[in-house]
Amino acid sequence: MSITIDGNIYTLMNDKQGNGEIHLVAGGQLGNYCDNICIELIPMLEVIKYFYETGKLLETHKWKREK
């Protein structure tokens, strides 16, 4: 999941270290995704709700600023 704020893109990360891949169907297509961006439902919902209410990132979760 990614959120854009002031032209900056932030991607929600999980606690996994490394560059493992996971096969996942998204948008009807199978693809290979880094396993450190696969987030469980409850943390994802917390982040979405917080952003909706405040317009800010929930800092208790790990974010990566994309270039």
Side-chain angles (χ1 to χ4, degrees):
M1 179 184 128
S2 296
I3 294 176
T4 302
I5 300 175
D6 296 329
N8 296 306
I9 300 171
Y10 299 90
T11 300
L12 183 61
M13 309 291 286
N14 63 35
D15 293 331
K16 292 185 183 212
Q17 301 296 318
N19 294 323
E21 286 190 347
I22 191 167
H23 300 290
L24 183 67
V25 176
Q29 289 188 288
L30 179 63
N32 297 329
Y33 295 87
C34 292
D35 62 354
N36 60 2
I37 63 167
C38 294
I39 310 299
E40 293 185 21
L41 180 61
I42 298 303
M44 176 91 58
L45 293 175
E46 291 171 350
V47 165
I48 292 169
K49 182 177 186 282
Y50 186 81
F51 181 73
Y52 176 77
E53 292 173 346
T54 67
K56 298 178 182 177
L57 300 177
L58 183 57
E59 295 296 330
T60 56
H61 292 278
K62 184 177 174 183
W63 296 92
K64 177 184 174 188
R65 183 176 173 191
E66 303 295 337
K67 297 177 183 167

Tab-separated table of all heavy atoms in Angstrom:
chain	number	residue	atom	x	y	z
A	1	MET	N	0.838	-1.166	0.000
A	1	MET	CA	0.000	0.000	0.000
A	1	MET	C	0.883	1.229	0.000
A	1	MET	O	1.858	1.301	0.733
A	1	MET	CB	-0.877	-0.008	1.244
A	1	MET	CG	-1.753	1.206	1.317
A	1	MET	SD	-2.679	1.220	2.833
A	1	MET	CE	-2.253	2.835	3.368
A	2	SER	N	0.549	2.188	-0.828
A	2	SER	CA	1.296	3.438	-0.898
A	2	SER	C	0.359	4.620	-0.704
A	2	SER	O	-0.809	4.569	-1.088
A	2	SER	CB	1.996	3.572	-2.246
A	2	SER	OG	2.965	2.558	-2.386
A	3	ILE	N	0.891	5.668	-0.103
A	3	ILE	CA	0.165	6.909	0.128
A	3	ILE	C	1.010	8.054	-0.411
A	3	ILE	O	2.224	8.080	-0.202
A	3	ILE	CB	-0.115	7.120	1.625
A	3	ILE	CG1	-1.079	6.050	2.145
A	3	ILE	CG2	-0.668	8.514	1.894
A	3	ILE	CD1	-1.337	6.122	3.639
A	4	THR	N	0.391	8.984	-1.113
A	4	THR	CA	1.097	10.152	-1.629
A	4	THR	C	0.730	11.371	-0.791
A	4	THR	O	-0.443	11.667	-0.600
A	4	THR	CB	0.725	10.417	-3.100
A	4	THR	OG1	1.036	9.246	-3.864
A	4	THR	CG2	1.480	11.605	-3.652
A	5	ILE	N	1.757	12.054	-0.283
A	5	ILE	CA	1.580	13.279	0.494
A	5	ILE	C	2.552	14.310	-0.061
A	5	ILE	O	3.765	14.061	-0.109
A	5	ILE	CB	1.865	13.050	1.991
A	5	ILE	CG1	0.913	11.999	2.570
A	5	ILE	CG2	1.743	14.364	2.769
A	5	ILE	CD1	1.211	11.624	4.000
A	6	ASP	N	2.027	15.460	-0.467
A	6	ASP	CA	2.854	16.555	-0.992
A	6	ASP	C	3.810	16.094	-2.094
A	6	ASP	O	4.975	16.488	-2.123
A	6	ASP	CB	3.651	17.218	0.140
A	6	ASP	CG	2.749	17.885	1.158
A	6	ASP	OD1	1.660	18.354	0.761
A	6	ASP	OD2	3.121	17.941	2.346
A	7	GLY	N	3.335	15.219	-2.970
A	7	GLY	CA	4.147	14.750	-4.082
A	7	GLY	C	5.141	13.656	-3.723
A	7	GLY	O	5.859	13.165	-4.583
A	8	ASN	N	5.196	13.259	-2.461
A	8	ASN	CA	6.077	12.170	-2.021
A	8	ASN	C	5.259	10.903	-1.845
A	8	ASN	O	4.153	10.943	-1.311
A	8	ASN	CB	6.756	12.519	-0.693
A	8	ASN	CG	7.666	13.713	-0.821
A	8	ASN	OD1	8.550	13.739	-1.659
A	8	ASN	ND2	7.432	14.723	-0.006
A	9	ILE	N	5.823	9.777	-2.284
A	9	ILE	CA	5.138	8.493	-2.187
A	9	ILE	C	5.769	7.702	-1.046
A	9	ILE	O	6.982	7.522	-0.997
A	9	ILE	CB	5.245	7.704	-3.496
A	9	ILE	CG1	4.611	8.502	-4.636
A	9	ILE	CG2	4.577	6.331	-3.350
A	9	ILE	CD1	4.854	7.901	-6.008
A	10	TYR	N	4.921	7.226	-0.131
A	10	TYR	CA	5.357	6.428	1.001
A	10	TYR	C	4.709	5.056	0.906
A	10	TYR	O	3.497	4.950	0.731
A	10	TYR	CB	4.963	7.095	2.310
A	10	TYR	CG	5.593	8.452	2.497
A	10	TYR	CD1	4.953	9.596	2.047
A	10	TYR	CD2	6.836	8.575	3.090
A	10	TYR	CE1	5.532	10.846	2.198
A	10	TYR	CE2	7.418	9.826	3.246
A	10	TYR	CZ	6.763	10.950	2.800
A	10	TYR	OH	7.343	12.188	2.943
A	11	THR	N	5.527	4.000	1.015
A	11	THR	CA	5.028	2.638	0.936
A	11	THR	C	5.080	2.001	2.317
A	11	THR	O	6.111	2.063	2.995
A	11	THR	CB	5.878	1.804	-0.047
A	11	THR	OG1	5.799	2.417	-1.345
A	11	THR	CG2	5.384	0.376	-0.146
A	12	LEU	N	3.975	1.390	2.720
A	12	LEU	CA	3.896	0.700	3.998
A	12	LEU	C	4.702	-0.587	3.923
A	12	LEU	O	4.568	-1.357	2.974
A	12	LEU	CB	2.429	0.403	4.328
A	12	LEU	CG	2.136	-0.253	5.655
A	12	LEU	CD1	2.595	0.624	6.817
A	12	LEU	CD2	0.644	-0.552	5.768
A	13	MET	N	5.549	-0.814	4.922
A	13	MET	CA	6.430	-1.977	4.954
A	13	MET	C	6.091	-2.837	6.164
A	13	MET	O	5.597	-2.332	7.162
A	13	MET	CB	7.894	-1.535	5.072
A	13	MET	CG	8.329	-0.489	4.068
A	13	MET	SD	8.400	-1.082	2.392
A	13	MET	CE	9.867	-2.066	2.457
A	14	ASN	N	6.377	-4.141	6.081
A	14	ASN	CA	6.254	-4.980	7.268
A	14	ASN	C	7.642	-5.137	7.895
A	14	ASN	O	8.589	-4.485	7.465
A	14	ASN	CB	5.592	-6.324	6.933
A	14	ASN	CG	6.408	-7.156	5.971
A	14	ASN	OD1	7.625	-7.159	5.991
A	14	ASN	ND2	5.719	-7.875	5.100
A	15	ASP	N	7.770	-5.991	8.880
A	15	ASP	CA	9.036	-6.119	9.614
A	15	ASP	C	10.024	-7.087	8.982
A	15	ASP	O	11.097	-7.306	9.528
A	15	ASP	CB	8.757	-6.549	11.056
A	15	ASP	CG	8.025	-5.473	11.827
A	15	ASP	OD1	8.199	-4.289	11.504
A	15	ASP	OD2	7.283	-5.825	12.759
A	16	LYS	N	9.688	-7.679	7.855
A	16	LYS	CA	10.596	-8.642	7.220
A	16	LYS	C	11.825	-7.931	6.674
A	16	LYS	O	11.730	-6.861	6.098
A	16	LYS	CB	9.901	-9.394	6.100
A	16	LYS	CG	8.833	-10.318	6.596
A	16	LYS	CD	8.266	-11.132	5.458
A	16	LYS	CE	7.152	-11.980	6.013
A	16	LYS	NZ	7.005	-13.230	5.369
A	17	GLN	N	12.952	-8.546	6.852
A	17	GLN	CA	14.196	-8.025	6.309
A	17	GLN	C	14.567	-8.856	5.082
A	17	GLN	O	14.237	-10.022	4.989
A	17	GLN	CB	15.306	-8.119	7.350
A	17	GLN	CG	15.003	-7.367	8.627
A	17	GLN	CD	14.877	-5.875	8.409
A	17	GLN	OE1	15.645	-5.292	7.677
A	17	GLN	NE2	13.904	-5.265	9.052
A	18	GLY	N	15.262	-8.272	4.161
A	18	GLY	CA	15.698	-9.011	2.988
A	18	GLY	C	14.859	-8.697	1.771
A	18	GLY	O	14.021	-7.804	1.781
A	19	ASN	N	15.090	-9.490	0.723
A	19	ASN	CA	14.440	-9.225	-0.558
A	19	ASN	C	13.710	-10.452	-1.087
A	19	ASN	O	13.755	-10.734	-2.269
A	19	ASN	CB	15.482	-8.769	-1.585
A	19	ASN	CG	16.094	-7.443	-1.230
A	19	ASN	OD1	15.414	-6.558	-0.727
A	19	ASN	ND2	17.380	-7.290	-1.473
A	20	GLY	N	13.016	-11.176	-0.201
A	20	GLY	CA	12.264	-12.336	-0.655
A	20	GLY	C	11.101	-11.915	-1.533
A	20	GLY	O	10.652	-10.779	-1.489
A	21	GLU	N	10.626	-12.847	-2.352
A	21	GLU	CA	9.487	-12.559	-3.227
A	21	GLU	C	8.335	-13.487	-2.906
A	21	GLU	O	8.528	-14.592	-2.410
A	21	GLU	CB	9.871	-12.726	-4.703
A	21	GLU	CG	10.736	-11.621	-5.220
A	21	GLU	CD	10.910	-11.676	-6.733
A	21	GLU	OE1	10.559	-12.699	-7.353
A	21	GLU	OE2	11.401	-10.689	-7.285
A	22	ILE	N	7.145	-13.012	-3.202
A	22	ILE	CA	5.930	-13.796	-3.024
A	22	ILE	C	5.112	-13.682	-4.309
A	22	ILE	O	5.078	-12.625	-4.930
A	22	ILE	CB	5.142	-13.300	-1.791
A	22	ILE	CG1	4.033	-14.259	-1.431
A	22	ILE	CG2	4.612	-11.919	-1.988
A	22	ILE	CD1	3.438	-13.988	-0.059
A	23	HIS	N	4.510	-14.793	-4.731
A	23	HIS	CA	3.646	-14.787	-5.912
A	23	HIS	C	2.249	-14.392	-5.438
A	23	HIS	O	1.712	-14.985	-4.510
A	23	HIS	CB	3.609	-16.160	-6.574
A	23	HIS	CG	4.944	-16.630	-7.021
A	23	HIS	ND1	5.623	-16.075	-8.074
A	23	HIS	CD2	5.758	-17.598	-6.542
A	23	HIS	CE1	6.775	-16.682	-8.225
A	23	HIS	NE2	6.886	-17.608	-7.302
A	24	LEU	N	1.667	-13.385	-6.078
A	24	LEU	CA	0.395	-12.836	-5.630
A	24	LEU	C	-0.414	-12.383	-6.832
A	24	LEU	O	0.133	-11.832	-7.777
A	24	LEU	CB	0.674	-11.638	-4.713
A	24	LEU	CG	-0.481	-10.938	-4.059
A	24	LEU	CD1	-1.148	-11.853	-3.034
A	24	LEU	CD2	0.019	-9.680	-3.351
A	25	VAL	N	-1.716	-12.635	-6.784
A	25	VAL	CA	-2.606	-12.138	-7.821
A	25	VAL	C	-3.155	-10.791	-7.365
A	25	VAL	O	-3.774	-10.686	-6.309
A	25	VAL	CB	-3.760	-13.114	-8.105
A	25	VAL	CG1	-4.726	-12.523	-9.121
A	25	VAL	CG2	-3.227	-14.451	-8.604
A	26	ALA	N	-2.906	-9.752	-8.150
A	26	ALA	CA	-3.409	-8.405	-7.866
A	26	ALA	C	-3.947	-7.832	-9.167
A	26	ALA	O	-3.262	-7.856	-10.186
A	26	ALA	CB	-2.301	-7.522	-7.304
A	27	GLY	N	-5.150	-7.337	-9.133
A	27	GLY	CA	-5.752	-6.793	-10.343
A	27	GLY	C	-5.988	-7.851	-11.404
A	27	GLY	O	-5.996	-7.561	-12.590
A	28	GLY	N	-6.125	-9.099	-10.967
A	28	GLY	CA	-6.393	-10.189	-11.900
A	28	GLY	C	-5.168	-10.767	-12.568
A	28	GLY	O	-5.284	-11.640	-13.416
A	29	GLN	N	-3.977	-10.284	-12.188
A	29	GLN	CA	-2.752	-10.791	-12.803
A	29	GLN	C	-1.800	-11.300	-11.741
A	29	GLN	O	-1.626	-10.684	-10.687
A	29	GLN	CB	-2.046	-9.696	-13.601
A	29	GLN	CG	-2.764	-9.316	-14.873
A	29	GLN	CD	-1.911	-8.385	-15.696
A	29	GLN	OE1	-1.740	-7.231	-15.347
A	29	GLN	NE2	-1.381	-8.901	-16.787
A	30	LEU	N	-1.161	-12.434	-12.029
A	30	LEU	CA	-0.143	-12.985	-11.147
A	30	LEU	C	1.134	-12.177	-11.297
A	30	LEU	O	1.549	-11.846	-12.413
A	30	LEU	CB	0.125	-14.452	-11.506
A	30	LEU	CG	1.184	-15.157	-10.669
A	30	LEU	CD1	0.761	-15.240	-9.210
A	30	LEU	CD2	1.438	-16.556	-11.232
A	31	GLY	N	1.735	-11.834	-10.185
A	31	GLY	CA	2.989	-11.092	-10.226
A	31	GLY	C	3.874	-11.480	-9.069
A	31	GLY	O	3.449	-12.150	-8.126
A	32	ASN	N	5.128	-11.102	-9.143
A	32	ASN	CA	6.083	-11.318	-8.070
A	32	ASN	C	6.236	-10.015	-7.297
A	32	ASN	O	6.534	-8.978	-7.885
A	32	ASN	CB	7.445	-11.741	-8.626
A	32	ASN	CG	7.366	-13.065	-9.351
A	32	ASN	OD1	6.566	-13.921	-9.006
A	32	ASN	ND2	8.195	-13.229	-10.357
A	33	TYR	N	6.017	-10.078	-5.990
A	33	TYR	CA	6.087	-8.896	-5.141
A	33	TYR	C	7.083	-9.135	-4.020
A	33	TYR	O	7.217	-10.260	-3.526
A	33	TYR	CB	4.711	-8.578	-4.551
A	33	TYR	CG	3.695	-8.200	-5.595
A	33	TYR	CD1	2.939	-9.158	-6.247
A	33	TYR	CD2	3.507	-6.879	-5.944
A	33	TYR	CE1	2.009	-8.814	-7.216
A	33	TYR	CE2	2.579	-6.517	-6.916
A	33	TYR	CZ	1.841	-7.491	-7.540
A	33	TYR	OH	0.927	-7.139	-8.508
A	34	CYS	N	7.771	-8.089	-3.595
A	34	CYS	CA	8.671	-8.192	-2.449
A	34	CYS	C	7.831	-8.543	-1.224
A	34	CYS	O	6.798	-7.924	-0.982
A	34	CYS	CB	9.415	-6.884	-2.211
A	34	CYS	SG	10.588	-6.488	-3.506
A	35	ASP	N	8.293	-9.522	-0.460
A	35	ASP	CA	7.494	-9.941	0.693
A	35	ASP	C	7.445	-8.892	1.803
A	35	ASP	O	6.574	-8.936	2.655
A	35	ASP	CB	7.961	-11.291	1.232
A	35	ASP	CG	9.375	-11.302	1.745
A	35	ASP	OD1	10.095	-10.292	1.602
A	35	ASP	OD2	9.781	-12.341	2.297
A	36	ASN	N	8.329	-7.898	1.772
A	36	ASN	CA	8.304	-6.879	2.826
A	36	ASN	C	7.259	-5.786	2.590
A	36	ASN	O	7.117	-4.888	3.404
A	36	ASN	CB	9.683	-6.272	3.056
A	36	ASN	CG	10.260	-5.594	1.845
A	36	ASN	OD1	9.628	-5.531	0.794
A	36	ASN	ND2	11.457	-5.086	1.977
A	37	ILE	N	6.496	-5.870	1.491
A	37	ILE	CA	5.392	-4.921	1.277
A	37	ILE	C	4.032	-5.601	1.391
A	37	ILE	O	3.010	-4.966	1.173
A	37	ILE	CB	5.498	-4.170	-0.075
A	37	ILE	CG1	5.391	-5.128	-1.258
A	37	ILE	CG2	6.746	-3.314	-0.124
A	37	ILE	CD1	5.182	-4.437	-2.593
A	38	CYS	N	4.016	-6.878	1.750
A	38	CYS	CA	2.759	-7.596	1.951
A	38	CYS	C	2.335	-7.399	3.401
A	38	CYS	O	3.007	-7.831	4.327
A	38	CYS	CB	2.927	-9.072	1.620
A	38	CYS	SG	3.259	-9.346	-0.135
A	39	ILE	N	1.213	-6.712	3.594
A	39	ILE	CA	0.763	-6.293	4.910
A	39	ILE	C	-0.512	-7.038	5.287
A	39	ILE	O	-1.401	-7.217	4.449
A	39	ILE	CB	0.488	-4.764	4.917
A	39	ILE	CG1	1.663	-3.979	4.332
A	39	ILE	CG2	0.111	-4.274	6.307
A	39	ILE	CD1	2.963	-4.131	5.075
A	40	GLU	N	-0.633	-7.427	6.552
A	40	GLU	CA	-1.845	-8.082	7.030
A	40	GLU	C	-3.003	-7.084	7.073
A	40	GLU	O	-2.795	-5.867	7.106
A	40	GLU	CB	-1.598	-8.699	8.399
A	40	GLU	CG	-0.611	-9.855	8.331
A	40	GLU	CD	-0.453	-10.561	9.668
A	40	GLU	OE1	-1.350	-10.437	10.530
A	40	GLU	OE2	0.570	-11.234	9.832
A	41	LEU	N	-4.221	-7.604	7.100
A	41	LEU	CA	-5.418	-6.785	6.984
A	41	LEU	C	-5.567	-5.760	8.115
A	41	LEU	O	-5.814	-4.582	7.856
A	41	LEU	CB	-6.661	-7.679	6.923
A	41	LEU	CG	-7.999	-6.950	6.812
A	41	LEU	CD1	-8.057	-6.129	5.532
A	41	LEU	CD2	-9.140	-7.938	6.884
A	42	ILE	N	-5.437	-6.176	9.372
A	42	ILE	CA	-5.692	-5.269	10.505
A	42	ILE	C	-4.730	-4.079	10.502
A	42	ILE	O	-5.181	-2.928	10.599
A	42	ILE	CB	-5.661	-6.030	11.844
A	42	ILE	CG1	-6.752	-7.101	11.884
A	42	ILE	CG2	-5.799	-5.059	13.027
A	42	ILE	CD1	-8.170	-6.600	11.669
A	43	PRO	N	-3.413	-4.270	10.369
A	43	PRO	CA	-2.529	-3.101	10.297
A	43	PRO	C	-2.845	-2.196	9.102
A	43	PRO	O	-2.781	-0.968	9.209
A	43	PRO	CB	-1.133	-3.698	10.162
A	43	PRO	CG	-1.243	-5.080	10.672
A	43	PRO	CD	-2.648	-5.515	10.409
A	44	MET	N	-3.229	-2.787	7.986
A	44	MET	CA	-3.579	-1.998	6.804
A	44	MET	C	-4.802	-1.121	7.089
A	44	MET	O	-4.815	0.066	6.772
A	44	MET	CB	-3.875	-2.918	5.617
A	44	MET	CG	-4.344	-2.205	4.385
A	44	MET	SD	-3.059	-1.728	3.252
A	44	MET	CE	-2.285	-3.265	2.878
A	45	LEU	N	-5.811	-1.697	7.723
A	45	LEU	CA	-7.018	-0.934	8.048
A	45	LEU	C	-6.720	0.192	9.042
A	45	LEU	O	-7.274	1.282	8.930
A	45	LEU	CB	-8.104	-1.861	8.587
A	45	LEU	CG	-8.681	-2.864	7.581
A	45	LEU	CD1	-9.657	-3.805	8.277
A	45	LEU	CD2	-9.324	-2.163	6.407
A	46	GLU	N	-5.831	-0.063	10.000
A	46	GLU	CA	-5.436	0.976	10.959
A	46	GLU	C	-4.809	2.164	10.244
A	46	GLU	O	-5.125	3.317	10.532
A	46	GLU	CB	-4.437	0.418	11.978
A	46	GLU	CG	-4.999	-0.583	12.930
A	46	GLU	CD	-3.924	-1.256	13.773
A	46	GLU	OE1	-2.724	-1.094	13.497
A	46	GLU	OE2	-4.310	-1.948	14.718
A	47	VAL	N	-3.909	1.865	9.324
A	47	VAL	CA	-3.205	2.908	8.572
A	47	VAL	C	-4.179	3.710	7.711
A	47	VAL	O	-4.121	4.941	7.675
A	47	VAL	CB	-2.093	2.271	7.704
A	47	VAL	CG1	-1.579	3.220	6.658
A	47	VAL	CG2	-0.968	1.777	8.585
A	48	ILE	N	-5.085	3.025	7.025
A	48	ILE	CA	-6.055	3.703	6.164
A	48	ILE	C	-6.969	4.602	6.985
A	48	ILE	O	-7.214	5.753	6.622
A	48	ILE	CB	-6.872	2.665	5.357
A	48	ILE	CG1	-5.974	1.975	4.341
A	48	ILE	CG2	-8.068	3.322	4.674
A	48	ILE	CD1	-6.598	0.759	3.693
A	49	LYS	N	-7.470	4.093	8.104
A	49	LYS	CA	-8.365	4.874	8.963
A	49	LYS	C	-7.645	6.115	9.497
A	49	LYS	O	-8.195	7.220	9.464
A	49	LYS	CB	-8.854	4.013	10.121
A	49	LYS	CG	-9.832	4.706	11.048
A	49	LYS	CD	-10.303	3.726	12.129
A	49	LYS	CE	-11.390	4.324	12.987
A	49	LYS	NZ	-10.915	5.255	13.985
A	50	TYR	N	-6.413	5.948	9.959
A	50	TYR	CA	-5.660	7.075	10.498
A	50	TYR	C	-5.415	8.137	9.419
A	50	TYR	O	-5.586	9.332	9.662
A	50	TYR	CB	-4.333	6.588	11.085
A	50	TYR	CG	-3.559	7.667	11.785
A	50	TYR	CD1	-3.871	8.040	13.084
A	50	TYR	CD2	-2.512	8.326	11.147
A	50	TYR	CE1	-3.164	9.032	13.736
A	50	TYR	CE2	-1.801	9.326	11.780
A	50	TYR	CZ	-2.132	9.672	13.076
A	50	TYR	OH	-1.440	10.666	13.709
A	51	PHE	N	-5.026	7.696	8.232
A	51	PHE	CA	-4.780	8.639	7.145
A	51	PHE	C	-6.072	9.367	6.764
A	51	PHE	O	-6.073	10.576	6.538
A	51	PHE	CB	-4.175	7.938	5.926
A	51	PHE	CG	-3.880	8.879	4.803
A	51	PHE	CD1	-2.822	9.753	4.875
A	51	PHE	CD2	-4.682	8.908	3.671
A	51	PHE	CE1	-2.548	10.654	3.848
A	51	PHE	CE2	-4.426	9.794	2.632
A	51	PHE	CZ	-3.352	10.662	2.727
A	52	TYR	N	-7.165	8.641	6.701
A	52	TYR	CA	-8.460	9.252	6.361
A	52	TYR	C	-8.838	10.333	7.384
A	52	TYR	O	-9.315	11.393	7.023
A	52	TYR	CB	-9.544	8.175	6.293
A	52	TYR	CG	-10.917	8.719	6.050
A	52	TYR	CD1	-11.301	9.124	4.780
A	52	TYR	CD2	-11.839	8.845	7.088
A	52	TYR	CE1	-12.574	9.642	4.547
A	52	TYR	CE2	-13.105	9.359	6.866
A	52	TYR	CZ	-13.456	9.760	5.599
A	52	TYR	OH	-14.708	10.277	5.370
A	53	GLU	N	-8.601	10.050	8.652
A	53	GLU	CA	-8.989	10.978	9.719
A	53	GLU	C	-8.035	12.159	9.888
A	53	GLU	O	-8.450	13.243	10.287
A	53	GLU	CB	-9.104	10.231	11.046
A	53	GLU	CG	-10.264	9.249	11.075
A	53	GLU	CD	-10.286	8.373	12.315
A	53	GLU	OE1	-9.269	8.327	13.053
A	53	GLU	OE2	-11.319	7.716	12.541
A	54	THR	N	-6.739	11.953	9.602
A	54	THR	CA	-5.744	12.995	9.912
A	54	THR	C	-4.997	13.536	8.698
A	54	THR	O	-4.396	14.598	8.781
A	54	THR	CB	-4.688	12.451	10.894
A	54	THR	OG1	-3.912	11.436	10.227
A	54	THR	CG2	-5.326	11.904	12.159
A	55	GLY	N	-4.965	12.753	7.614
A	55	GLY	CA	-4.161	13.141	6.455
A	55	GLY	C	-2.680	12.911	6.665
A	55	GLY	O	-1.842	13.412	5.909
A	56	LYS	N	-2.327	12.126	7.699
A	56	LYS	CA	-0.921	11.859	8.032
A	56	LYS	C	-0.649	10.363	8.053
A	56	LYS	O	-1.565	9.549	8.159
A	56	LYS	CB	-0.593	12.441	9.413
A	56	LYS	CG	-0.759	13.939	9.494
A	56	LYS	CD	-0.466	14.422	10.888
A	56	LYS	CE	-0.694	15.928	10.979
A	56	LYS	NZ	-0.479	16.409	12.349
A	57	LEU	N	0.634	10.020	7.989
A	57	LEU	CA	1.051	8.630	8.102
A	57	LEU	C	1.009	8.211	9.566
A	57	LEU	O	1.368	8.991	10.454
A	57	LEU	CB	2.475	8.446	7.582
A	57	LEU	CG	2.728	8.820	6.128
A	57	LEU	CD1	4.199	8.653	5.808
A	57	LEU	CD2	1.876	7.994	5.195
A	58	LEU	N	0.611	6.996	9.824
A	58	LEU	CA	0.627	6.447	11.172
A	58	LEU	C	2.060	6.029	11.475
A	58	LEU	O	2.567	5.049	10.925
A	58	LEU	CB	-0.342	5.267	11.275
A	58	LEU	CG	-0.508	4.616	12.635
A	58	LEU	CD1	-0.941	5.645	13.687
A	58	LEU	CD2	-1.528	3.494	12.555
A	59	GLU	N	2.737	6.790	12.307
A	59	GLU	CA	4.177	6.628	12.539
A	59	GLU	C	4.546	5.364	13.310
A	59	GLU	O	5.718	5.023	13.376
A	59	GLU	CB	4.730	7.859	13.251
A	59	GLU	CG	4.652	9.129	12.416
A	59	GLU	CD	5.511	9.086	11.151
A	59	GLU	OE1	6.554	8.408	11.161
A	59	GLU	OE2	5.129	9.727	10.168
A	60	THR	N	3.567	4.661	13.896
A	60	THR	CA	3.881	3.422	14.595
A	60	THR	C	4.147	2.282	13.624
A	60	THR	O	4.545	1.199	14.034
A	60	THR	CB	2.744	3.021	15.566
A	60	THR	OG1	1.534	2.921	14.829
A	60	THR	CG2	2.601	4.044	16.681
A	61	HIS	N	3.926	2.527	12.340
A	61	HIS	CA	4.214	1.542	11.299
A	61	HIS	C	5.419	1.999	10.482
A	61	HIS	O	5.753	3.176	10.438
A	61	HIS	CB	2.988	1.356	10.387
A	61	HIS	CG	1.843	0.705	11.092
A	61	HIS	ND1	1.744	-0.644	11.270
A	61	HIS	CD2	0.750	1.236	11.693
A	61	HIS	CE1	0.642	-0.927	11.931
A	61	HIS	NE2	0.019	0.205	12.202
A	62	LYS	N	6.061	1.056	9.825
A	62	LYS	CA	7.267	1.340	9.045
A	62	LYS	C	6.887	1.802	7.639
A	62	LYS	O	6.097	1.159	6.963
A	62	LYS	CB	8.114	0.065	8.985
A	62	LYS	CG	9.436	0.218	8.294
A	62	LYS	CD	10.204	-1.089	8.362
A	62	LYS	CE	11.462	-1.004	7.561
A	62	LYS	NZ	12.185	-2.291	7.552
A	63	TRP	N	7.490	2.915	7.202
A	63	TRP	CA	7.228	3.480	5.874
A	63	TRP	C	8.536	3.645	5.131
A	63	TRP	O	9.570	3.961	5.709
A	63	TRP	CB	6.564	4.856	5.993
A	63	TRP	CG	5.224	4.797	6.624
A	63	TRP	CD1	4.931	4.943	7.943
A	63	TRP	CD2	3.991	4.569	5.958
A	63	TRP	NE1	3.589	4.824	8.143
A	63	TRP	CE2	2.982	4.591	6.940
A	63	TRP	CE3	3.634	4.343	4.644
A	63	TRP	CZ2	1.645	4.396	6.635
A	63	TRP	CZ3	2.305	4.157	4.332
A	63	TRP	CH2	1.322	4.183	5.320
A	64	LYS	N	8.483	3.464	3.822
A	64	LYS	CA	9.629	3.719	2.952
A	64	LYS	C	9.253	4.840	1.991
A	64	LYS	O	8.247	4.732	1.293
A	64	LYS	CB	9.984	2.452	2.161
A	64	LYS	CG	11.118	2.644	1.180
A	64	LYS	CD	11.350	1.389	0.387
A	64	LYS	CE	12.384	1.606	-0.695
A	64	LYS	NZ	12.474	0.447	-1.577
A	65	ARG	N	10.062	5.887	1.984
A	65	ARG	CA	9.822	6.980	1.040
A	65	ARG	C	10.422	6.604	-0.305
A	65	ARG	O	11.611	6.301	-0.397
A	65	ARG	CB	10.448	8.271	1.552
A	65	ARG	CG	10.173	9.440	0.642
A	65	ARG	CD	10.720	10.707	1.222
A	65	ARG	NE	10.593	11.767	0.255
A	65	ARG	CZ	11.150	12.942	0.373
A	65	ARG	NH1	11.887	13.221	1.439
A	65	ARG	NH2	11.002	13.847	-0.562
A	66	GLU	N	9.585	6.578	-1.318
A	66	GLU	CA	10.039	6.215	-2.667
A	66	GLU	C	10.714	7.423	-3.317
A	66	GLU	O	10.385	8.549	-3.029
A	66	GLU	CB	8.856	5.753	-3.510
A	66	GLU	CG	8.084	4.591	-2.914
A	66	GLU	CD	8.858	3.296	-2.808
A	66	GLU	OE1	9.839	3.095	-3.555
A	66	GLU	OE2	8.486	2.466	-1.974
A	67	LYS	N	11.623	7.136	-4.223
A	67	LYS	CA	12.360	8.210	-4.907
A	67	LYS	C	11.671	8.599	-6.170
A	67	LYS	O	10.950	7.942	-6.782
A	67	LYS	CB	13.772	7.752	-5.185
A	67	LYS	CG	14.514	7.470	-3.909
A	67	LYS	CD	15.887	6.940	-4.188
A	67	LYS	CE	16.547	6.612	-2.863
A	67	LYS	NZ	17.711	5.864	-2.943
